[in-house]
Amino acid sequence: MVLYFFYKIFHSWTASIFFLTLLIRILFFPLSISSTVSMKKMQDLAPKLEEIRKKYAQDPRKMQEEMLKLYKEIGFNPFSGCLPLLLLIPIFFALYKVLIVTADLSLEGFLWVPSLAERDPYYILPIIMGLTMIAQSFITPSPNKQQNTLMYAMAIAFTILFATFPAGLILYWILNNIFNILKNNNPQNVKIAKSR
């Protein structure tokens, strides 16, 4: 596995998790840019979508038809933004399995965490993970206020859910969030999104 490959090079599971996350971000970069483009299109569409919602408030079927027609006109796929996340889920579960079964990981700590295979005893990593999720929401706000509220609620739910997960897994998620923040805050990516 790739994680073991990095461990042979760096002799550190923390460094291995960092470089695994970086490699995944590089491999998924084209999909990530596509997702950014999709979000930009969604922001541009927001006023027109709001008009459709108001116009066909009493006719949900017609509203859906008009929205799909608008999506088709500009070549927007409402599900394209979810694809990178869906592809990352199997990697997440594979890493979870590795963290549980690899004895070496239980012997390596990270700062205040005595073992990467155990939960953070002070719950600091889950809180940092939740904060980085909120930071992502601030950097890439949705034109839909309900969606922004949902993102904040998800950050709180994930913080609580991940509180008992192995610290190595939460570290991976934090690094993934930080790379996302850096990508979304990069002016070059904004230019790419606008040019498409």
Side-chain angles (χ1 to χ4, degrees):
M1 187 176 176
V2 181
L3 194 65
Y4 290 101
F5 170 76
F6 284 130
Y7 181 74
K8 283 179 183 177
I9 296 170
F10 301 107
H11 305 290
S12 163
W13 287 111
T14 304
S16 302
I17 290 170
F18 174 84
F19 283 102
L20 173 69
T21 310
L22 183 61
L23 177 65
I24 290 166
R25 296 305 306 174
I26 291 166
L27 292 174
F28 284 88
F29 187 73
L31 277 175
S32 192
I33 289 295
S34 174
S35 178
T36 303
V37 170
S38 182
M39 287 294 289
K40 176 71 181 112
K41 283 183 180 179
M42 191 63 179
Q43 285 177 342
D44 294 342
L45 279 179
K48 290 180 181 177
L49 289 171
E50 194 55 40
E51 282 176 30
I52 291 169
R53 282 190 192 101
K54 285 178 183 174
K55 189 175 178 180
Y56 301 104
Q58 302 303 318
D59 189 354
R61 188 171 176 221
K62 182 68 175 169
M63 184 195 298
Q64 200 69 24
E65 283 174 13
E66 289 299 315
M67 284 180 171
L68 290 172
K69 187 178 170 185
L70 183 62
Y71 292 155
K72 198 172 182 180
E73 278 174 18
I74 62 151
F76 172 72
N77 182 350
F79 301 106
S80 60
C82 303
L83 188 60
L85 182 62
L86 290 173
L87 292 173
L88 286 172
I89 289 171
I91 296 165
F92 176 81
F93 283 112
L95 184 59
Y96 179 75
K97 189 78 172 172
V98 168
L99 287 164
I100 289 172
V101 299
T102 305
D104 291 356
L105 274 159
S106 62
L107 302 173
E108 183 165 338
F110 173 74
L111 300 176
W112 63 89
V113 182
S115 168
L116 288 171
E118 302 292 329
R119 68 172 178 82
D120 179 346
Y122 306 108
Y123 304 105
I124 296 169
L125 284 177
I127 291 167
I128 293 171
M129 186 199 70
L131 292 173
T132 56
M133 287 180 77
I134 290 169
Q136 280 185 90
S137 301
F138 275 120
I139 289 171
T140 54
S142 167
N144 186 339
K145 287 181 182 178
Q146 286 180 330
Q147 195 170 346
N148 284 333
T149 306
L150 179 66
M151 290 301 290
Y152 301 139
M154 275 180 62
I156 294 165
F158 271 56
T159 302
I160 295 164
L161 178 70
F162 277 49
T164 57
F165 277 41
L169 196 63
I170 299 170
L171 182 62
Y172 161 77
W173 201 270
I174 291 169
L175 291 169
N176 205 29
N177 289 346
I178 290 168
F179 287 133
N180 262 339
I181 290 165
L182 294 173
K183 175 196 67 91
N184 292 336
N185 207 27
N186 184 347
Q188 190 64 34
N189 290 335
V190 174
K191 285 178 188 173
I192 292 167
K194 284 181 179 175
S195 69
R196 293 191 185 186

Short mmCIF file of all heavy atoms in Angstrom, two decimals, residues 94-146:
data_model
loop_
_atom_site.label_atom_id
_atom_site.label_comp_id
_atom_site.label_asym_id
_atom_site.label_seq_id
_atom_site.Cartn_x
_atom_site.Cartn_y
_atom_site.Cartn_z
N ALA A 94 -10.38 2.74 3.53
CA ALA A 94 -9.15 1.93 3.44
C ALA A 94 -8.14 2.39 4.49
O ALA A 94 -7.51 1.57 5.17
CB ALA A 94 -8.56 2.03 2.05
N LEU A 95 -8.01 3.71 4.63
CA LEU A 95 -7.09 4.26 5.63
C LEU A 95 -7.55 3.90 7.05
O LEU A 95 -6.74 3.56 7.91
CB LEU A 95 -6.98 5.78 5.47
CG LEU A 95 -5.98 6.49 6.37
CD1 LEU A 95 -4.57 5.97 6.16
CD2 LEU A 95 -6.02 7.99 6.13
N TYR A 96 -8.85 3.95 7.27
CA TYR A 96 -9.41 3.56 8.57
C TYR A 96 -9.03 2.12 8.92
O TYR A 96 -8.60 1.83 10.03
CB TYR A 96 -10.93 3.73 8.55
CG TYR A 96 -11.63 3.34 9.83
CD1 TYR A 96 -11.57 4.16 10.94
CD2 TYR A 96 -12.34 2.14 9.92
CE1 TYR A 96 -12.21 3.81 12.13
CE2 TYR A 96 -12.98 1.78 11.10
CZ TYR A 96 -12.91 2.62 12.20
OH TYR A 96 -13.53 2.27 13.37
N LYS A 97 -9.14 1.23 7.94
CA LYS A 97 -8.81 -0.18 8.14
C LYS A 97 -7.33 -0.34 8.47
O LYS A 97 -6.96 -1.10 9.37
CB LYS A 97 -9.17 -0.95 6.86
CG LYS A 97 -9.08 -2.44 6.98
CD LYS A 97 -10.27 -3.00 7.69
CE LYS A 97 -10.25 -4.52 7.62
NZ LYS A 97 -11.28 -5.10 8.46
N VAL A 98 -6.47 0.39 7.73
CA VAL A 98 -5.03 0.32 7.95
C VAL A 98 -4.68 0.79 9.36
O VAL A 98 -3.86 0.19 10.06
CB VAL A 98 -4.27 1.16 6.88
CG1 VAL A 98 -2.80 1.34 7.25
CG2 VAL A 98 -4.38 0.49 5.52
N LEU A 99 -5.31 1.89 9.78
CA LEU A 99 -5.04 2.43 11.11
C LEU A 99 -5.41 1.46 12.23
O LEU A 99 -4.77 1.42 13.27
CB LEU A 99 -5.79 3.76 11.30
CG LEU A 99 -5.23 4.94 10.53
CD1 LEU A 99 -6.23 6.08 10.48
CD2 LEU A 99 -3.92 5.42 11.14
N ILE A 100 -6.43 0.68 11.99
CA ILE A 100 -6.90 -0.26 13.02
C ILE A 100 -6.00 -1.51 13.09
O ILE A 100 -5.70 -2.00 14.17
CB ILE A 100 -8.37 -0.67 12.76
CG1 ILE A 100 -9.28 0.52 13.07
CG2 ILE A 100 -8.79 -1.86 13.59
CD1 ILE A 100 -10.71 0.31 12.67
N VAL A 101 -5.56 -2.00 11.92
CA VAL A 101 -4.83 -3.28 11.91
C VAL A 101 -3.31 -3.15 11.97
O VAL A 101 -2.62 -4.12 12.25
CB VAL A 101 -5.22 -4.13 10.66
CG1 VAL A 101 -6.68 -4.46 10.68
CG2 VAL A 101 -4.81 -3.48 9.37
N THR A 102 -2.76 -1.95 11.71
CA THR A 102 -1.30 -1.79 11.70
C THR A 102 -0.79 -1.52 13.11
O THR A 102 -1.05 -0.46 13.69
CB THR A 102 -0.88 -0.65 10.74
OG1 THR A 102 -1.44 -0.91 9.46
CG2 THR A 102 0.63 -0.56 10.62
N ALA A 103 -0.03 -2.46 13.62
CA ALA A 103 0.48 -2.36 15.00
C ALA A 103 1.45 -1.19 15.15
O ALA A 103 1.48 -0.52 16.19
CB ALA A 103 1.16 -3.67 15.39
N ASP A 104 2.27 -0.93 14.12
CA ASP A 104 3.26 0.15 14.18
C ASP A 104 2.62 1.51 14.45
O ASP A 104 3.19 2.35 15.13
CB ASP A 104 4.06 0.24 12.88
CG ASP A 104 4.98 -0.95 12.68
OD1 ASP A 104 5.04 -1.79 13.59
OD2 ASP A 104 5.64 -1.03 11.63
N LEU A 105 1.44 1.70 13.88
CA LEU A 105 0.75 2.99 14.04
C LEU A 105 0.36 3.25 15.49
O LEU A 105 0.32 4.39 15.93
CB LEU A 105 -0.49 3.04 13.15
CG LEU A 105 -0.24 3.52 11.72
CD1 LEU A 105 -1.34 3.07 10.81
CD2 LEU A 105 -0.11 5.02 11.67
N SER A 106 0.09 2.19 16.22
CA SER A 106 -0.29 2.37 17.63
C SER A 106 0.91 2.80 18.48
O SER A 106 0.75 3.31 19.58
CB SER A 106 -0.89 1.09 18.19
OG SER A 106 0.05 0.04 18.14
N LEU A 107 2.13 2.62 17.93
CA LEU A 107 3.34 2.99 18.66
C LEU A 107 3.80 4.40 18.36
O LEU A 107 4.66 4.93 19.04
CB LEU A 107 4.47 2.01 18.32
CG LEU A 107 4.20 0.54 18.62
CD1 LEU A 107 5.32 -0.34 18.09
CD2 LEU A 107 4.01 0.32 20.12
N GLU A 108 3.23 5.01 17.30
CA GLU A 108 3.64 6.37 16.94
C GLU A 108 2.59 7.39 17.35
O GLU A 108 1.40 7.22 17.08
CB GLU A 108 3.91 6.49 15.43
CG GLU A 108 4.41 7.87 15.06
CD GLU A 108 5.01 7.94 13.67
OE1 GLU A 108 5.42 6.90 13.13
OE2 GLU A 108 5.06 9.05 13.13
N GLY A 109 3.07 8.45 17.98
CA GLY A 109 2.19 9.52 18.41
C GLY A 109 2.32 10.73 17.50
O GLY A 109 3.11 10.75 16.55
N PHE A 110 1.54 11.75 17.82
CA PHE A 110 1.58 13.02 17.09
C PHE A 110 1.32 14.14 18.08
O PHE A 110 0.22 14.26 18.62
CB PHE A 110 0.53 13.02 15.97
CG PHE A 110 0.39 14.35 15.27
CD1 PHE A 110 1.36 14.79 14.40
CD2 PHE A 110 -0.71 15.16 15.51
CE1 PHE A 110 1.24 16.01 13.76
CE2 PHE A 110 -0.85 16.38 14.89
CZ PHE A 110 0.13 16.81 14.01
N LEU A 111 2.38 14.93 18.35
CA LEU A 111 2.30 16.02 19.33
C LEU A 111 1.72 15.50 20.65
O LEU A 111 2.34 14.70 21.31
CB LEU A 111 1.52 17.20 18.76
CG LEU A 111 2.11 17.83 17.48
CD1 LEU A 111 1.20 18.93 16.95
CD2 LEU A 111 3.51 18.37 17.73
N TRP A 112 0.52 15.91 21.03
CA TRP A 112 -0.09 15.52 22.31
C TRP A 112 -0.79 14.15 22.26
O TRP A 112 -1.17 13.62 23.29
CB TRP A 112 -1.09 16.58 22.77
CG TRP A 112 -2.24 16.71 21.81
CD1 TRP A 112 -3.41 16.01 21.84
CD2 TRP A 112 -2.31 17.57 20.69
NE1 TRP A 112 -4.21 16.38 20.78
CE2 TRP A 112 -3.55 17.34 20.06
CE3 TRP A 112 -1.45 18.52 20.13
CZ2 TRP A 112 -3.95 18.01 18.90
CZ3 TRP A 112 -1.84 19.19 19.00
CH2 TRP A 112 -3.08 18.93 18.40
N VAL A 113 -0.96 13.60 21.04
CA VAL A 113 -1.67 12.33 20.89
C VAL A 113 -0.66 11.19 21.02
O VAL A 113 0.28 11.10 20.22
CB VAL A 113 -2.39 12.25 19.51
CG1 VAL A 113 -3.16 10.95 19.39
CG2 VAL A 113 -3.31 13.44 19.32
N PRO A 114 -0.81 10.30 22.01
CA PRO A 114 0.18 9.24 22.21
C PRO A 114 0.19 8.17 21.12
O PRO A 114 1.21 7.53 20.90
CB PRO A 114 -0.22 8.62 23.55
CG PRO A 114 -1.63 9.04 23.79
CD PRO A 114 -1.87 10.29 23.03
N SER A 115 -0.94 7.98 20.42
CA SER A 115 -1.01 6.93 19.39
C SER A 115 -1.91 7.36 18.24
O SER A 115 -3.06 7.79 18.47
CB SER A 115 -1.55 5.64 20.01
OG SER A 115 -1.87 4.70 19.01
N LEU A 116 -1.42 7.24 17.00
CA LEU A 116 -2.21 7.58 15.82
C LEU A 116 -3.37 6.62 15.60
O LEU A 116 -4.32 6.93 14.91
CB LEU A 116 -1.32 7.61 14.57
CG LEU A 116 -0.36 8.79 14.45
CD1 LEU A 116 0.59 8.57 13.29
CD2 LEU A 116 -1.09 10.10 14.29
N ALA A 117 -3.28 5.43 16.21
CA ALA A 117 -4.33 4.42 16.05
C ALA A 117 -5.44 4.57 17.09
O ALA A 117 -6.44 3.88 17.03
CB ALA A 117 -3.72 3.03 16.13
N GLU A 118 -5.24 5.49 18.04
CA GLU A 118 -6.23 5.73 19.10
C GLU A 118 -6.85 7.12 18.93
O GLU A 118 -6.31 7.95 18.21
CB GLU A 118 -5.57 5.63 20.48
CG GLU A 118 -4.90 4.31 20.75
CD GLU A 118 -5.89 3.15 20.89
OE1 GLU A 118 -7.02 3.39 21.34
OE2 GLU A 118 -5.52 2.02 20.52
N ARG A 119 -7.94 7.36 19.64
CA ARG A 119 -8.58 8.67 19.57
C ARG A 119 -7.73 9.72 20.28
O ARG A 119 -6.91 9.38 21.14
CB ARG A 119 -9.97 8.62 20.18
CG ARG A 119 -9.99 8.40 21.67
CD ARG A 119 -11.39 8.56 22.25
NE ARG A 119 -11.40 8.29 23.67
CZ ARG A 119 -11.06 9.17 24.60
NH1 ARG A 119 -10.67 10.36 24.26
NH2 ARG A 119 -11.11 8.83 25.88
N ASP A 120 -7.92 10.97 19.90
CA ASP A 120 -7.25 12.09 20.56
C ASP A 120 -7.83 12.20 21.98
O ASP A 120 -9.03 12.44 22.15
CB ASP A 120 -7.53 13.37 19.76
CG ASP A 120 -6.91 14.61 20.37
OD1 ASP A 120 -6.47 14.57 21.54
OD2 ASP A 120 -6.85 15.64 19.67
N PRO A 121 -7.01 12.05 23.02
CA PRO A 121 -7.54 12.06 24.39
C PRO A 121 -8.13 13.42 24.81
O PRO A 121 -8.96 13.48 25.71
CB PRO A 121 -6.34 11.69 25.25
CG PRO A 121 -5.14 12.01 24.43
CD PRO A 121 -5.56 11.85 23.00
N TYR A 122 -7.71 14.49 24.13
CA TYR A 122 -8.19 15.83 24.49
C TYR A 122 -9.18 16.40 23.47
O TYR A 122 -9.64 17.53 23.60
CB TYR A 122 -7.00 16.79 24.66
CG TYR A 122 -5.97 16.28 25.63
CD1 TYR A 122 -4.74 15.81 25.18
CD2 TYR A 122 -6.24 16.21 26.99
CE1 TYR A 122 -3.80 15.32 26.06
CE2 TYR A 122 -5.31 15.71 27.88
CZ TYR A 122 -4.09 15.26 27.41
OH TYR A 122 -3.16 14.76 28.29
N TYR A 123 -9.48 15.61 22.43
CA TYR A 123 -10.45 15.99 21.38
C TYR A 123 -10.04 17.26 20.62
O TYR A 123 -10.89 17.94 20.03
CB TYR A 123 -11.87 16.16 21.96
CG TYR A 123 -12.35 14.92 22.68
CD1 TYR A 123 -12.38 14.87 24.06
CD2 TYR A 123 -12.73 13.79 21.96
CE1 TYR A 123 -12.81 13.73 24.72
CE2 TYR A 123 -13.16 12.64 22.62
CZ TYR A 123 -13.19 12.61 24.00
OH TYR A 123 -13.59 11.48 24.64
N ILE A 124 -8.76 17.57 20.61
CA ILE A 124 -8.28 18.77 19.91
C ILE A 124 -8.33 18.57 18.40
O ILE A 124 -8.78 19.46 17.67
CB ILE A 124 -6.86 19.16 20.39
CG1 ILE A 124 -6.91 19.53 21.87
CG2 ILE A 124 -6.30 20.31 19.56
CD1 ILE A 124 -5.56 19.69 22.53
N LEU A 125 -7.88 17.40 17.92
CA LEU A 125 -7.89 17.14 16.47
C LEU A 125 -9.30 17.18 15.87
O LEU A 125 -9.50 17.80 14.82
CB LEU A 125 -7.19 15.81 16.16
CG LEU A 125 -5.66 15.81 16.22
CD1 LEU A 125 -5.11 14.41 15.96
CD2 LEU A 125 -5.05 16.79 15.24
N PRO A 126 -10.30 16.55 16.52
CA PRO A 126 -11.66 16.66 15.95
C PRO A 126 -12.15 18.11 15.88
O PRO A 126 -12.82 18.50 14.92
CB PRO A 126 -12.52 15.83 16.90
CG PRO A 126 -11.59 14.89 17.55
CD PRO A 126 -10.28 15.62 17.65
N ILE A 127 -11.79 18.91 16.89
CA ILE A 127 -12.20 20.33 16.89
C ILE A 127 -11.50 21.08 15.75
O ILE A 127 -12.14 21.86 15.03
CB ILE A 127 -11.91 20.99 18.26
CG1 ILE A 127 -12.86 20.41 19.32
CG2 ILE A 127 -12.06 22.51 18.19
CD1 ILE A 127 -12.49 20.73 20.75
N ILE A 128 -10.21 20.81 15.55
CA ILE A 128 -9.47 21.44 14.44
C ILE A 128 -10.10 21.02 13.11
O ILE A 128 -10.26 21.85 12.21
CB ILE A 128 -7.97 21.08 14.49
CG1 ILE A 128 -7.31 21.71 15.71
CG2 ILE A 128 -7.26 21.52 13.21
CD1 ILE A 128 -5.89 21.23 15.97
N MET A 129 -10.47 19.74 13.01
CA MET A 129 -11.12 19.26 11.78
C MET A 129 -12.42 20.02 11.52
O MET A 129 -12.68 20.46 10.39
CB MET A 129 -11.40 17.76 11.89
CG MET A 129 -11.92 17.15 10.62
SD MET A 129 -12.74 15.57 10.91
CE MET A 129 -14.21 16.10 11.75
N GLY A 130 -13.24 20.18 12.55
CA GLY A 130 -14.49 20.92 12.41
C GLY A 130 -14.26 22.36 12.00
O GLY A 130 -14.96 22.89 11.13
N LEU A 131 -13.24 23.00 12.60
CA LEU A 131 -12.91 24.39 12.26
C LEU A 131 -12.43 24.53 10.82
O LEU A 131 -12.77 25.51 10.14
CB LEU A 131 -11.86 24.94 13.24
CG LEU A 131 -12.33 25.13 14.68
CD1 LEU A 131 -11.17 25.53 15.59
CD2 LEU A 131 -13.45 26.17 14.77
N THR A 132 -11.65 23.54 10.36
CA THR A 132 -11.19 23.61 8.95
C THR A 132 -12.35 23.39 7.99
O THR A 132 -12.36 23.95 6.89
CB THR A 132 -10.05 22.60 8.67
OG1 THR A 132 -10.49 21.27 9.02
CG2 THR A 132 -8.78 22.95 9.42
N MET A 133 -13.34 22.59 8.39
CA MET A 133 -14.53 22.42 7.56
C MET A 133 -15.32 23.72 7.47
O MET A 133 -15.81 24.10 6.40
CB MET A 133 -15.42 21.30 8.12
CG MET A 133 -14.88 19.91 7.90
SD MET A 133 -15.95 18.62 8.58
CE MET A 133 -17.23 18.57 7.34
N ILE A 134 -15.43 24.43 8.60
CA ILE A 134 -16.12 25.73 8.62
C ILE A 134 -15.35 26.74 7.77
O ILE A 134 -15.94 27.51 7.02
CB ILE A 134 -16.31 26.22 10.07
CG1 ILE A 134 -17.35 25.34 10.78
CG2 ILE A 134 -16.74 27.69 10.11
CD1 ILE A 134 -17.45 25.53 12.27
N ALA A 135 -14.01 26.71 7.88
CA ALA A 135 -13.17 27.61 7.08
C ALA A 135 -13.40 27.39 5.59
O ALA A 135 -13.47 28.35 4.81
CB ALA A 135 -11.70 27.42 7.43
N GLN A 136 -13.53 26.12 5.19
CA GLN A 136 -13.83 25.81 3.78
C GLN A 136 -15.14 26.45 3.34
O GLN A 136 -15.25 26.97 2.23
CB GLN A 136 -13.94 24.30 3.57
CG GLN A 136 -12.63 23.59 3.45
CD GLN A 136 -12.88 22.13 3.13
OE1 GLN A 136 -12.96 21.76 1.97
NE2 GLN A 136 -13.00 21.30 4.14
N SER A 137 -16.14 26.39 4.22
CA SER A 137 -17.45 26.96 3.91
C SER A 137 -17.38 28.47 3.76
O SER A 137 -18.07 29.05 2.93
CB SER A 137 -18.45 26.62 5.01
OG SER A 137 -18.58 25.22 5.13
N PHE A 138 -16.51 29.13 4.57
CA PHE A 138 -16.35 30.58 4.46
C PHE A 138 -15.66 30.96 3.15
O PHE A 138 -16.01 31.96 2.52
CB PHE A 138 -15.51 31.12 5.63
CG PHE A 138 -16.32 31.42 6.86
CD1 PHE A 138 -16.04 30.77 8.04
CD2 PHE A 138 -17.36 32.33 6.84
CE1 PHE A 138 -16.78 31.03 9.19
CE2 PHE A 138 -18.11 32.60 7.97
CZ PHE A 138 -17.81 31.95 9.16
N ILE A 139 -14.68 30.16 2.74
CA ILE A 139 -13.92 30.47 1.53
C ILE A 139 -14.73 30.20 0.27
O ILE A 139 -14.62 30.93 -0.71
CB ILE A 139 -12.58 29.68 1.52
CG1 ILE A 139 -11.66 30.28 2.59
CG2 ILE A 139 -11.91 29.73 0.17
CD1 ILE A 139 -10.41 29.50 2.85
N THR A 140 -15.53 29.14 0.28
CA THR A 140 -16.37 28.83 -0.89
C THR A 140 -17.83 28.86 -0.49
O THR A 140 -18.49 27.83 -0.44
CB THR A 140 -16.01 27.43 -1.46
OG1 THR A 140 -16.10 26.47 -0.40
CG2 THR A 140 -14.66 27.39 -2.08
N PRO A 141 -18.35 30.07 -0.19
CA PRO A 141 -19.76 30.14 0.22
C PRO A 141 -20.70 29.83 -0.92
O PRO A 141 -20.43 30.15 -2.08
CB PRO A 141 -19.92 31.60 0.68
CG PRO A 141 -18.87 32.34 -0.05
CD PRO A 141 -17.74 31.38 -0.28
N SER A 142 -21.79 29.18 -0.59
CA SER A 142 -22.81 28.87 -1.58
C SER A 142 -23.78 30.04 -1.66
O SER A 142 -24.04 30.70 -0.65
CB SER A 142 -23.55 27.60 -1.16
OG SER A 142 -24.72 27.44 -1.92
N PRO A 143 -24.34 30.32 -2.85
CA PRO A 143 -25.34 31.38 -2.94
C PRO A 143 -26.63 31.01 -2.19
O PRO A 143 -27.43 31.86 -1.87
CB PRO A 143 -25.60 31.49 -4.44
CG PRO A 143 -25.13 30.21 -5.03
CD PRO A 143 -24.06 29.70 -4.13
N ASN A 144 -26.79 29.74 -1.90
CA ASN A 144 -27.96 29.26 -1.18
C ASN A 144 -27.67 29.26 0.32
O ASN A 144 -26.82 28.52 0.81
CB ASN A 144 -28.29 27.83 -1.67
CG ASN A 144 -29.57 27.30 -1.08
OD1 ASN A 144 -30.04 27.76 -0.06
ND2 ASN A 144 -30.14 26.31 -1.73
N LYS A 145 -28.38 30.10 1.08
CA LYS A 145 -28.14 30.22 2.52
C LYS A 145 -28.41 28.92 3.26
O LYS A 145 -27.73 28.60 4.24
CB LYS A 145 -29.00 31.35 3.10
CG LYS A 145 -28.52 32.72 2.71
CD LYS A 145 -29.38 33.79 3.32
CE LYS A 145 -28.91 35.17 2.86
NZ LYS A 145 -29.75 36.26 3.41
N GLN A 146 -29.39 28.17 2.78
CA GLN A 146 -29.70 26.88 3.42
C GLN A 146 -28.53 25.92 3.29
O GLN A 146 -28.24 25.16 4.21
CB GLN A 146 -30.95 26.26 2.78
CG GLN A 146 -32.24 26.96 3.19
CD GLN A 146 -33.45 26.32 2.54
OE1 GLN A 146 -33.37 25.77 1.44
NE2 GLN A 146 -34.59 26.40 3.21
#
